[in-house]
Amino acid sequence: MATEKDNPGEPLWARLERPAPAPRQTLSPQRIATAAVKIADAEGLDAVTMRRLATELGVAPMAPYRYVSGKDDLLELMVNHVYDDLRVPGNLGWRDTMRALALQTRKLMLRHVWLAQLPPTAMLSLTPNRMAIAEKALSALDGLGLDADAMMSVFRAVDAYVHGAMTYEIAVQNLMRQQGWSDGGKLRSELAPQMIWHMQTGRYPTFQHYLGTATRKDDARWQFETGLDYVLDGIAAGLDI
């Protein structure tokens, strides 16, 4: 398996699609990705290092470098690996496809919370499985009379909503776990001194009304799906589709 040093600038995925040399290697991209994801799921992204990976795989420290040139390549493998679990039924209309992709992505990010904490290079990495998702979304929008720019804007609008909402949801979960807070009530109790000060200023009457009347403060799924439907409603109305 050639490394990036053999052909600087060659994409990771082009290198990995070349046949592996005989005899069959002990390692594989699949094994490497599986081990790295297991570490990240249990301990977070900071725990994923090339040395730790080699230890988990039971190989020499330099062995994974036959497939990945470093942490950036490894993160791409990990992202591609988990996005293989994202499944959306075929033959759906554009809205049902977009909604299904959004709901499945939320489930994926809750299983792998480190997806909300990726560095920009990994967040934007063009892996085969992520490209397949984009292809499915754009295919569902094709034939509706939209031009290419509008189709991509719709896809990115939904994707931005999903990742923005999930970054917030996961941040709340992480804070509660770090502080040992058991539920939303405990979270609000701990933050109450700050909130009380803000409310006593009288500057936020509408927010105060929300605090006193809202009944779904802890229903993250409802919040996500309701916001998603508003986004899709807006797209449908704006583009008349």
Side-chain angles (χ1 to χ4, degrees):
M1 175 67 63
T3 67
E4 188 174 21
K5 295 179 181 178
D6 296 319
N7 187 357
E10 184 181 32
L12 167 67
W13 307 103
R15 303 198 308 271
L16 294 182
E17 286 203 1
R18 290 202 295 268
R24 179 174 297 183
Q25 301 295 312
T26 302
L27 287 182
S28 68
Q30 180 74 12
R31 278 198 66 203
I32 291 172
T34 300
V37 166
K38 182 179 179 181
I39 296 169
D41 286 348
E43 303 175 43
L45 276 183
D46 289 343
V48 181
T49 65
M50 298 300 286
R51 182 173 294 277
R52 173 68 185 281
L53 178 63
T55 299
E56 290 292 320
L57 291 166
V59 299
M62 296 302 293
Y65 285 96
R66 291 186 60 81
Y67 294 91
V68 293
S69 62
K71 185 72 172 283
D72 287 346
D73 277 1
L74 181 57
L75 290 176
E76 281 202 47
L77 273 185
M78 293 165 62
V79 169
N80 191 65
H81 180 72
V82 298
Y83 268 86
D84 188 49
D85 292 336
L86 203 158
R87 294 284 185 268
V88 175
N91 301 318
L92 298 177
W94 77 269
R95 181 174 180 133
D96 287 341
T97 296
M98 292 306 218
R99 196 173 195 279
L101 281 172
L103 296 179
Q104 290 299 317
T105 301
R106 177 176 183 266
K107 291 180 181 179
L108 186 72
M109 294 183 73
L110 289 176
R111 290 198 301 270
H112 309 288
V113 296
W114 49 268
L115 286 170
Q117 301 154 354
L118 291 169
T121 51
M123 185 73 72
L124 300 175
S125 59
L126 303 177
T127 79
N129 287 331
R130 293 188 75 187
M131 290 297 294
I133 293 167
E135 176 67 20
K136 180 176 285 291
L138 293 174
S139 295
L141 294 164
D142 198 16
L144 298 177
L146 306 179
D147 62 29
D149 291 322
M151 288 166 56
M152 183 58 74
S153 292
V154 170
F155 172 55
R156 286 181 175 168
V158 176
D159 189 62
Y161 168 77
V162 172
H163 283 86
M166 292 313 300
T167 296
Y168 175 82
E169 184 176 343
I170 289 170
V172 171
Q173 288 187 356
N174 287 339
L175 175 62
M176 292 175 62
R177 183 175 63 254
Q178 291 166 6
Q179 299 297 326
W181 299 339
S182 57
D183 54 35
K186 180 64 174 176
L187 170 67
R188 287 186 290 277
S189 175
E190 294 292 337
L191 297 180
Q194 298 178 49
M195 186 63 73
I196 290 171
W197 183 89
H198 284 297
M199 294 304 104
Q200 287 177 342
T201 67
R203 300 170 188 162
Y204 315 106
T206 310
F207 201 103
Q208 187 165 7
H209 175 72
Y210 162 78
L211 292 175
T213 61
T215 60
R216 293 184 179 270
K217 296 186 182 80
D218 298 324
D219 194 342
R221 178 175 177 177
W222 180 89
Q223 293 171 10
F224 180 88
E225 293 190 17
T226 300
L228 174 62
D229 286 336
Y230 291 153
V231 171
L232 295 173
D233 287 345
I235 291 170
L239 296 177
D240 193 24
I241 55 177

